[in-house]
Amino acid sequence: MGNTELPLEKVNQPRGSLFWVIPDGYIPPESRGELLSHESICVLNCGTRAAKLSIDIYFEDREPLEGLIEVVEGRRTRHIRTASLERNGERIPAGIPYAITVTSDVPVIVQYSRLDTTQPELALMSVMAYPVEG
């Protein structure tokens, strides 16, 4: 029986896309119980090089919050809570709809999750972001 392992250069190569869209953002304004309502941009970097992300937040009634920089090290995952994103003291307000774009300098995989604990029967939603090519 032969070697069934993939060569490391195949395993650790970059995967994913450079530009991702999450059209439905919303930080629940309340929490009940022990868990805090929140959202996360979940990023997987399969490659060996650190990924520098630029995150832009778009609103219905105001100018975007652009150029929020985050880093995901090579061969790592990172869950970035949207409530922690900040630029010059400006943050995403809770209870306001928004959309997200994520631009990376190396291919990554992006997922989006929301935990809503505004009622006793909490809700967890997790979806893949939409990759846009070109």
Side-chain angles (χ1 to χ4, degrees):
M1 188 174 267
N3 185 355
T4 59
E5 291 184 23
L6 288 173
L8 271 181
E9 62 272 4
K10 292 276 188 198
V11 173
N12 295 330
Q13 68 183 342
R15 287 181 168 54
S17 293
L18 299 175
F19 186 74
W20 295 83
V21 178
I22 303 164
D24 177 31
Y26 183 82
I27 301 171
E30 313 175 357
S31 298
R32 293 199 172 93
E34 296 178 25
L35 299 173
L36 179 67
S37 292
H38 68 273
E39 294 185 312
S40 292
I41 302 167
C42 311
V43 182
L44 172 60
N45 181 359
C46 295
T48 56
R49 227 178 89 209
K52 182 178 179 183
L53 309 178
S54 178
I55 300 169
D56 296 334
I57 308 297
Y58 296 88
F59 301 99
E60 294 177 352
D61 61 351
R62 66 187 82 185
E63 289 301 306
L65 182 55
E66 298 175 294
L68 304 163
I69 304 299
E70 297 289 333
V71 174
V72 180
E73 296 300 327
R75 301 179 58 219
R76 296 290 184 267
T77 185
R78 183 145 176 244
H79 292 66
I80 303 163
R81 288 212 179 172
T82 57
S84 72
L85 296 171
E86 177 184 350
R87 180 164 197 171
N88 298 328
E90 188 179 0
R91 293 178 176 261
I92 302 168
I96 302 292
Y98 63 94
I100 306 166
T101 61
V102 178
T103 305
S104 179
D105 63 345
V106 299
V108 294
I109 298 163
V110 177
Q111 181 179 332
Y112 169 76
S113 296
R114 178 185 302 148
L115 177 63
D116 183 342
T117 65
T118 56
Q119 54 188 339
E121 297 79 20
L122 63 87
L124 177 64
M125 173 194 76
S126 191
V127 297
M128 292 303 297
Y130 185 79
V132 178
E133 300 300 324

